[in-house]
Amino acid sequence: MPVFQLTEELIFPNPLFGRPDGLLAVGGDLSPARLLLAYSLGIFPWYSDEDPILWWSPDPRMVLLPSNLRVTKSMKQVLRNNHFRITFDTDFRSVITSCQQIDRPGQEFGTWITQEMLEAYCQLHEMGYAHSVEVWKDEQLVGGLYGISLGNCFFGESMFAKMSNASKAGFITLVQALENKGFALIDCQTETNHLNSLGAENIPRIEFLRMLKNNLNGNDLKGKWTDFR
């Protein structure tokens, strides 16, 4: 199956035409308009510094329905005891920079967040589409995650933790807040044991795209989420 070469024209091929490994297209740019179009079609960029921009639409797709969130007794206790202080959209750049720099043993693209990508997502944050969760301990940033919000969908991009349970605490708090706001779908992209343990599951790409289409015209929560609960 061919990989599509993007041009300056703001267009993507049908995501159902991606290769078996999920690679769909190459090239283009990381302009806000192209990134937002990509996410609305279930496509995201993932590449390293040595590569051109690569665009993906995996099959199957890992998703979490907020109502399926799984929280262990130990994590409930961590959250109940306020072991961490958790904020939203307080320091987006520090969160994405930490995701970029954190060591990820055994992960091929440990530094897949290129500087070009970092700046592009910071621009989306300033526009009100990209959001961060910060996890603090003794006023130090010890964990967090970021992603994109469109309609009733949140597209998780990356998370990091410098302390045990930090990223889980941030993720659980985010999912509970998203459910309270009526979000229907959290895109987790590809499978990990960490996400499996929290209730995420793989679904066929065609089912993901159907759910995405049905939930893009819901909440208009563009802007800073500093009071998001």
Side-chain angles (χ1 to χ4, degrees):
M1 195 168 290
V3 175
F4 292 83
Q5 175 69 53
L6 299 182
T7 66
E8 293 183 359
E9 185 180 5
L10 196 58
I11 191 172
F12 282 99
N14 188 322
L16 292 175
F17 295 158
R19 292 193 329 194
D21 62 1
L23 182 60
L24 176 68
V26 59
D29 55 50
L30 297 180
S31 66
R34 190 181 295 274
L35 282 170
L36 293 174
L37 175 61
Y39 281 100
S40 73
L41 296 172
I43 301 165
F44 59 88
W46 184 40
Y47 64 103
S48 62
D49 274 320
E50 297 77 22
D51 297 325
I53 301 174
L54 304 176
W55 301 90
W56 303 77
S57 179
D59 188 15
R61 188 75 163 234
M62 170 133 292
V63 303
L64 174 65
L65 306 183
S67 59
N68 289 345
L69 176 67
R70 189 180 303 129
V71 185
T72 64
K73 289 182 179 180
S74 60
M75 278 306 303
K76 287 179 181 178
Q77 185 172 1
V78 167
L79 294 167
R80 187 167 52 246
N81 293 343
N82 295 317
H83 187 70
F84 300 107
R85 183 171 68 90
I86 300 172
T87 59
F88 290 77
D89 281 352
T90 299
D91 197 344
F92 184 91
R93 182 172 287 272
S94 289
V95 169
I96 191 172
T97 299
S98 294
C99 289
Q100 178 193 53
Q101 296 177 351
I102 198 78
D103 185 36
R104 304 179 191 271
Q107 183 170 317
E108 181 181 359
F109 295 129
T111 56
W112 61 268
I113 303 174
T114 67
Q115 195 61 32
E116 180 184 25
M117 290 186 72
L118 187 151
E119 296 301 335
Y121 285 91
C122 284
Q123 186 175 4
L124 285 180
H125 173 66
E126 292 303 317
M127 295 171 63
Y129 291 104
H131 305 281
S132 61
V133 180
E134 300 86 20
V135 183
W136 308 87
K137 183 67 174 178
D138 299 327
E139 300 309 312
Q140 298 296 313
L141 186 65
V142 296
L145 62 122
Y146 74 96
I148 306 295
S149 171
L150 293 175
N152 289 330
C153 305
F154 185 84
F155 305 84
E157 271 299 315
S158 187
M159 62 176 67
F160 80 98
K162 297 179 181 179
M163 287 184 64
S164 178
N165 292 324
S167 62
K168 278 189 178 181
F171 184 76
I172 290 168
T173 301
L174 171 65
V175 174
Q176 292 173 338
L178 291 174
E179 184 173 22
N180 289 338
K181 296 292 186 180
F183 279 68
L185 179 66
I186 300 171
D187 174 29
C188 302
Q189 297 183 349
T190 57
E191 184 174 14
T192 68
N193 292 333
H194 180 67
L195 292 167
N196 272 326
S197 71
L198 291 163
E201 61 180 348
N202 276 325
I203 63 173
R205 177 171 55 197
I206 193 169
E207 175 66 11
F208 168 75
L209 295 175
R210 183 191 66 79
M211 294 175 66
L212 178 60
K213 183 178 180 180
N214 289 341
N215 286 287
L216 280 177
N217 296 318
N219 294 311
D220 182 13
L221 296 179
K222 187 173 70 171
K224 295 295 176 67
W225 284 4
T226 48
D227 297 319
F228 194 72
R229 282 292 189 274

